[in-house]
Amino acid sequence: AKTLAGRRVLLTAGPTFEPIDPVRGITNLSSGKMGYALARACRDAGAEVTLISGPTALPRPAEVHFIAAGSALSMHAAVMEAVPHHDVFIAVAAVADYRVANASAEKLKKTPGQAPTLTLTENPDILASVAALPSAPFCVGFAAESHNLLAHAQAKRERKRVPLLVANLAQHAMGADDNEIVLLDDHGQHPLPRMDKTGAARAIVAHLAGMLPIR
Ligand code: C5P
C-alpha cells in the first residue's frame, strides 16, 4: 500500500539567493539534493507533491508541481499561497537568515578605494510561520548543525513547534550524495544508519507516514 496515498505534501528545497544588485547576491552551498529526494519519495509513496525550490542544478522531479523561488521573501510568499491546499509541509530549504536591505536596482560600479557597505535585515522564518498557522499542516523541519547537533536540534524542534525534526551534520550533508540523520519526535531520538539521500528520504517518509493522523 502507498503510505502517503491521498496526502498533499508541500516542500521547500535548495538555497535561497538574496540579491545585492541585478547580477550579484548572497547564497549558500545547499545543493537541493535532500529536498528533491524527499519530493520524489513522497511522490513514490502516493502523495500529490508541490516543490518550491531555490536555484539548484538538479532536474525537476517528474509528476511534481514545481514552483521556482529566488529570495527568501519570494519563497515565503509562494509557501504561504500554496500551504492551504496541503496536509504536510516539509521545510528542507536552506533559507538565508538575512537579506540585503540596501540592494541596488542598478549594477554596482567598482569605485577604487570605496567598498560599498551591505546592510542586512532578517528574513521571515518560513517553517515557523507555517507551524504557527491556525490550521497548520503537519510540519517537518530540518536542522543542519556543525556542532552539538542533537542539543541544537532538540532546541530547534521545541522553538519551531514541529512534531518531527530531521537532524544532520552540515559538513557531511551539504552537497553530498549521502547523509547520516537522526529523527527527533515526541518519543525521542531515532538515529538512522548512513545511507544515500534517496534511502534517507524513504526512511523519513516511512516515519512521517506513521505519525500522520488517520483520516
Ligand atoms: O533555524 P534553522 O535555519 O537552522 O532551521 C532550519 C529549519 O527551518 C529548516 O527546516 C529550514 O528549511 C527552516 N527554515 C525556514 N525559513 C527560514 C529559516 C529556516 O523555513 N528563514
Side-chain angles (χ1 to χ4, degrees):
K2 301 260 190 187
T3 54
L4 293 181
R7 311 278 187 181
R8 295 161 303 174
V9 179
L10 177 65
L11 303 100
T12 62
T16 63
F17 182 91
E18 308 301 327
I20 294 172
D21 73 12
V23 296
R24 304 185 180 95
I26 299 174
T27 187
N28 61 66
L29 288 176
S30 168
S31 64
K33 285 175 187 168
M34 190 67 234
Y36 279 53
L38 257 172
R40 295 191 303 266
C42 290
R43 174 203 63 198
D44 292 346
E48 191 183 312
V49 177
T50 305
L51 174 61
I52 300 182
S53 176
T56 77
L58 302 174
R60 292 184 186 189
E63 277 151 63
V64 162
H65 305 289
F66 185 91
I67 301 169
S71 64
L73 283 182
S74 68
M75 184 178 281
H76 181 261
V79 166
M80 292 323 254
E81 188 179 332
V83 77
H85 312 293
H86 294 85
D87 319 296
V88 178
F89 176 57
I90 313 180
V92 199
V95 181
D97 291 326
Y98 304 100
R99 67 180 175 277
V100 180
N102 58 340
S104 170
E106 291 172 21
K107 188 184 170 198
L108 295 174
K109 303 303 290 179
K110 176 172 168 181
T111 314
Q114 282 188 26
T117 300
L118 299 180
T119 309
L120 300 183
T121 188
E122 221 169 294
N123 273 327
D125 187 318
I126 301 171
L127 175 58
S129 319
V130 171
L133 289 172
S135 54
F138 183 92
C139 288
V140 183
F142 271 70
E145 304 286 349
S146 59
H147 299 94
N148 295 333
L149 173 64
L150 290 178
H152 285 306
Q154 190 57 48
K156 192 161 294 179
R157 192 178 93 86
E158 284 158 26
R159 179 160 37 84
K160 301 208 184 196
R161 299 176 181 284
V162 294
L164 179 60
L165 191 117
V166 183
N168 56 38
L169 277 171
Q171 58 271 47
H172 294 160
M174 285 286 219
D177 285 317
D178 56 4
N179 207 352
E180 194 171 319
I181 59 182
V182 181
L183 302 180
L184 304 176
D185 62 18
D186 276 343
H187 300 289
Q189 305 174 354
H190 312 275
L192 299 182
R194 186 166 196 89
M195 52 189 144
D196 68 17
K197 286 182 176 174
T198 302
R202 287 203 190 108
I204 294 166
V205 166
H207 195 92
L208 155 70
M211 290 179 76
L212 292 180
I214 298 163
R215 293 167 314 147

